[in-house]
């Protein structure tokens, strides 16, 4: 049976050359898959892949199409929070049967979908990850997942019998306490970060751990591309995570194999999406 | 009557040359003031002015000293959130009779003090602002305030008959929803930012406006030193503030004369601190 995957960009645009590369790989290796790039992916409007109305309309067209099986976000960037309220409000029944895959800024939409019990959101590669070294394998991982053919290596290795959720730390910090934040009580929470100073990571961990006291525990993905600061922070990201977990009574469960990189494994939200694929 | 002002640094250290310059100005122009620099101001430990225990102890020594009239924070930086719980928990009755002055990262402590009804927190210059062009006048503004001799120009000009509170936007975004966040219902909220991309300002405004629905309105201070991005955001900080206010039903009240600069006016929290001084 063929799988139809629609691609849209709730934040920043996808470069057409990257889309073409993913389309070529898909045609070669996943001939049973129809990859449908919404033209909105390539719109440029200031910071965004089109203004809010354009990005919203594309998301709703894809999500509400009963012939589409999965929404794969093209890029992160910034902006999914700007359309989240209208996006959730505009979803119809057809949106519920789908997979939704992405990470980074798109975590806002994934979180909101999970909160509302709509579809099967999962934290994992974006289409634009084709640009990374090893990008072909990243795309294969995502496409195996979206076609129900995941190998055990495709999923985060530390998933257990508890529900899970994964987020970029900054995205989560901006999500907590808002109308889009899902209830993560008893969940294992996985976080990753990129491009932030360690003092900012410390500050984000303070904020997030204050908000998620009822979680089963926290796992730390990779914290990469930390900028050079005018003075060293004094500890590393593991000590930071352990510290804030200890301060707020959240169990620190160790590392997670997620991050802004080619190794970024897939974390289906909740308990769904594992038995079918692993 | 003489005023005794104690200076400590809950985040990063103060350079001794800057402290000396402020001490000299105070001796010359405010002979009735005793400025007491806690030695902790000059400690360096990684990112911080001493480890958490050192910064906490200094704050508590100053705040719990019944002979001290005011706490003036030496520098912002990052770190006041790391000692906030123990700081609030360790305050004694003597802490209640004092002014507390600072901004930027120290807003976490100011907010927590305001939440607990301890003392008279105010958003205004730090000792380290002596380094700015026009720094002498910044220091005079702060010292006039702390000695009950403010001129009308020293206070934020838009204060009205409603209670107010002011914060650095990032500091506030990390404070909302935590155990330290004061109830700002019916308050005019003033925010300012420095050194953040406009997309980050937009993201912070999303988060903050989601959390402070019951405020009387929002005023926007200066958003300065915005880094160059790889693409323009598309709007400015005023449009950003107006947009998020409109989305969340918060009245946008216009600009505020606060910011990471020499013009930064003083905003006493609540309704206190105006009649005495203006």
């Amino acid at each position: 049976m063929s799988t139809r995957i629609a691609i849209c960009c709730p934040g920043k645009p996808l470069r057409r050359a990257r889309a073409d590369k993913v389309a070529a790989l898909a045609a070669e290796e996943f001939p049973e898959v129809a990859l449908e790039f919404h033209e909105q992916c390539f719109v440029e409007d200031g910071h965004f892949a089109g203004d809010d109305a354009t990005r919203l309309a594309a998301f709703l067209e894809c999500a509400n199409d009963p012939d589409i099986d999965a929404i794969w976000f093209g890029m992160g960037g910034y902006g999914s929070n700007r359309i989240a309220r209208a996006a959730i409000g505009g979803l119809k029944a057809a949106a519920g049967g789908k997979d939704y895959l992405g990470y980074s800024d798109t975590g806002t939409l994934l979180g909101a979908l999970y909160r509302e019990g709509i579809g099967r959101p999962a934290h994992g590669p974006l289409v634009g990850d084709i640009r990374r070294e090893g990008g072909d394998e990243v795309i294969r991982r995502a496409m195996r997942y979206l076609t129900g053919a995941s190998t055990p290596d495709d999923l985060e290795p530390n998933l257990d019998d508890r529900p899970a959720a994964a987020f970029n730390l900054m995205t989560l910090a901006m999500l907590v306490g808002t109308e889009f934040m899902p209830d993560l009580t008893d969940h294992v929470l996985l976080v990753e970060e990129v491009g932030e100073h360690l003092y900012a990571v410390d500050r984000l961990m303070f904020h997030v751990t204050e908000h998620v006291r009822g979680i089963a525990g926290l796992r730390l993905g990779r914290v990469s591309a930390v900028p050079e600061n005018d003075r060293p922070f004094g500890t590393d990201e593991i000590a930071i995570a352990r510290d804030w977990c200890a301060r707020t009574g959240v169990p620190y469960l160790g590392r997670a194999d997620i991050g802004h990189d080619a190794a970024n494994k897939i974390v289906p939200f909740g308990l769904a999406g594992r038995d079918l694929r692993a």
Side-chain angles (χ1 to χ4, degrees), chain A residues 22 25 72 81 85 117 126-127 140 160 196 232 239:
Chain A
V22 170
L25 185 153
W72 189 10
N81 61 319
R85 191 187 297 170
L126 298 159
V127 176
R140 290 183 194 110
D160 56 24
E196 296 285 347

mmCIF file of all heavy atoms in Angstrom, chain A residues 22 25 72 81 85 117 126-127 140 160 196 232 239:
data_model
loop_
_atom_site.group_PDB
_atom_site.id
_atom_site.type_symbol
_atom_site.label_atom_id
_atom_site.label_comp_id
_atom_site.label_asym_id
_atom_site.label_seq_id
_atom_site.Cartn_x
_atom_site.Cartn_y
_atom_site.Cartn_z
ATOM 1 N N VAL A 22 15.735 15.222 -1.632
ATOM 2 C CA VAL A 22 14.924 14.280 -0.862
ATOM 3 C C VAL A 22 13.937 13.563 -1.792
ATOM 4 O O VAL A 22 13.732 12.345 -1.673
ATOM 5 C CB VAL A 22 14.183 15.008 0.282
ATOM 6 C CG1 VAL A 22 13.135 14.093 0.933
ATOM 7 C CG2 VAL A 22 15.180 15.496 1.329
ATOM 8 N N LEU A 25 15.834 10.856 -3.653
ATOM 9 C CA LEU A 25 16.122 9.705 -2.790
ATOM 10 C C LEU A 25 14.852 8.881 -2.579
ATOM 11 O O LEU A 25 14.873 7.644 -2.648
ATOM 12 C CB LEU A 25 16.686 10.190 -1.446
ATOM 13 C CG LEU A 25 17.154 9.135 -0.444
ATOM 14 C CD1 LEU A 25 18.248 9.709 0.466
ATOM 15 C CD2 LEU A 25 16.026 8.571 0.409
ATOM 16 N N TRP A 72 4.964 15.755 7.250
ATOM 17 C CA TRP A 72 6.388 15.809 7.577
ATOM 18 C C TRP A 72 6.810 17.275 7.453
ATOM 19 O O TRP A 72 6.682 17.863 6.363
ATOM 20 C CB TRP A 72 7.149 14.925 6.591
ATOM 21 C CG TRP A 72 8.598 14.704 6.912
ATOM 22 C CD1 TRP A 72 9.274 15.024 8.051
ATOM 23 C CD2 TRP A 72 9.552 14.072 6.053
ATOM 24 N NE1 TRP A 72 10.569 14.633 7.967
ATOM 25 C CE2 TRP A 72 10.783 14.047 6.748
ATOM 26 C CE3 TRP A 72 9.496 13.526 4.767
ATOM 27 C CZ2 TRP A 72 11.936 13.508 6.201
ATOM 28 C CZ3 TRP A 72 10.655 12.984 4.216
ATOM 29 C CH2 TRP A 72 11.856 12.969 4.931
ATOM 30 N N ASN A 81 4.605 28.638 16.581
ATOM 31 C CA ASN A 81 3.744 29.146 17.657
ATOM 32 C C ASN A 81 2.795 30.227 17.152
ATOM 33 O O ASN A 81 1.708 30.401 17.693
ATOM 34 C CB ASN A 81 4.603 29.708 18.792
ATOM 35 C CG ASN A 81 5.478 30.865 18.350
ATOM 36 O OD1 ASN A 81 6.044 30.824 17.263
ATOM 37 N ND2 ASN A 81 5.580 31.907 19.149
ATOM 38 N N ARG A 85 -2.611 28.411 17.351
ATOM 39 C CA ARG A 85 -4.003 28.485 17.803
ATOM 40 C C ARG A 85 -4.955 28.243 16.641
ATOM 41 O O ARG A 85 -5.886 27.433 16.734
ATOM 42 C CB ARG A 85 -4.286 29.838 18.458
ATOM 43 C CG ARG A 85 -5.639 29.851 19.169
ATOM 44 C CD ARG A 85 -5.999 31.242 19.687
ATOM 45 N NE ARG A 85 -5.044 31.691 20.691
ATOM 46 C CZ ARG A 85 -5.008 32.945 21.176
ATOM 47 N NH1 ARG A 85 -5.872 33.846 20.721
ATOM 48 N NH2 ARG A 85 -4.137 33.290 22.091
ATOM 49 N N GLY A 117 -4.800 15.506 21.558
ATOM 50 C CA GLY A 117 -5.052 14.119 21.177
ATOM 51 C C GLY A 117 -5.306 13.936 19.695
ATOM 52 O O GLY A 117 -6.043 13.046 19.281
ATOM 53 N N LEU A 126 13.611 16.490 10.196
ATOM 54 C CA LEU A 126 12.928 17.345 9.229
ATOM 55 C C LEU A 126 13.434 17.017 7.827
ATOM 56 O O LEU A 126 14.543 16.491 7.670
ATOM 57 C CB LEU A 126 13.239 18.813 9.533
ATOM 58 C CG LEU A 126 12.792 19.348 10.895
ATOM 59 C CD1 LEU A 126 13.584 20.596 11.272
ATOM 60 C CD2 LEU A 126 11.292 19.640 10.881
ATOM 61 N N VAL A 127 12.663 17.391 6.828
ATOM 62 C CA VAL A 127 13.106 17.201 5.441
ATOM 63 C C VAL A 127 14.452 17.905 5.208
ATOM 64 O O VAL A 127 15.359 17.374 4.558
ATOM 65 C CB VAL A 127 12.046 17.737 4.463
ATOM 66 C CG1 VAL A 127 12.547 17.625 3.024
ATOM 67 C CG2 VAL A 127 10.721 17.002 4.645
ATOM 68 N N ARG A 140 16.206 8.567 5.229
ATOM 69 C CA ARG A 140 15.728 7.173 5.243
ATOM 70 C C ARG A 140 15.072 6.837 6.579
ATOM 71 O O ARG A 140 14.043 6.161 6.633
ATOM 72 C CB ARG A 140 16.891 6.213 4.992
ATOM 73 C CG ARG A 140 17.433 6.255 3.586
ATOM 74 C CD ARG A 140 18.539 5.210 3.387
ATOM 75 N NE ARG A 140 19.250 5.502 2.155
ATOM 76 C CZ ARG A 140 20.511 5.966 2.089
ATOM 77 N NH1 ARG A 140 21.212 6.165 3.197
ATOM 78 N NH2 ARG A 140 21.066 6.219 0.921
ATOM 79 N N ASP A 160 10.921 3.312 27.152
ATOM 80 C CA ASP A 160 10.528 2.153 27.965
ATOM 81 C C ASP A 160 9.004 2.101 28.044
ATOM 82 O O ASP A 160 8.326 2.585 27.138
ATOM 83 C CB ASP A 160 11.203 2.217 29.342
ATOM 84 C CG ASP A 160 10.909 3.520 30.075
ATOM 85 O OD1 ASP A 160 9.870 4.169 29.768
ATOM 86 O OD2 ASP A 160 11.696 3.909 30.954
ATOM 87 N N GLU A 196 22.992 27.597 21.898
ATOM 88 C CA GLU A 196 22.742 28.439 23.065
ATOM 89 C C GLU A 196 23.938 28.378 24.023
ATOM 90 O O GLU A 196 24.524 27.317 24.227
ATOM 91 C CB GLU A 196 21.480 27.978 23.815
ATOM 92 C CG GLU A 196 20.192 28.112 23.022
ATOM 93 C CD GLU A 196 19.701 29.554 22.902
ATOM 94 O OE1 GLU A 196 20.208 30.425 23.630
ATOM 95 O OE2 GLU A 196 18.829 29.811 22.049
ATOM 96 N N PRO A 232 34.117 31.091 30.956
ATOM 97 C CA PRO A 232 33.544 29.736 30.984
ATOM 98 C C PRO A 232 32.383 29.680 31.972
ATOM 99 O O PRO A 232 32.370 30.393 32.975
ATOM 100 C CB PRO A 232 34.712 28.873 31.455
ATOM 101 C CG PRO A 232 35.572 29.798 32.249
ATOM 102 C CD PRO A 232 35.446 31.147 31.597
ATOM 103 N N ALA A 239 25.890 18.319 34.056
ATOM 104 C CA ALA A 239 25.805 18.835 35.426
ATOM 105 C C ALA A 239 24.624 19.798 35.568
ATOM 106 O O ALA A 239 23.934 19.806 36.598
ATOM 107 C CB ALA A 239 27.117 19.533 35.802
#
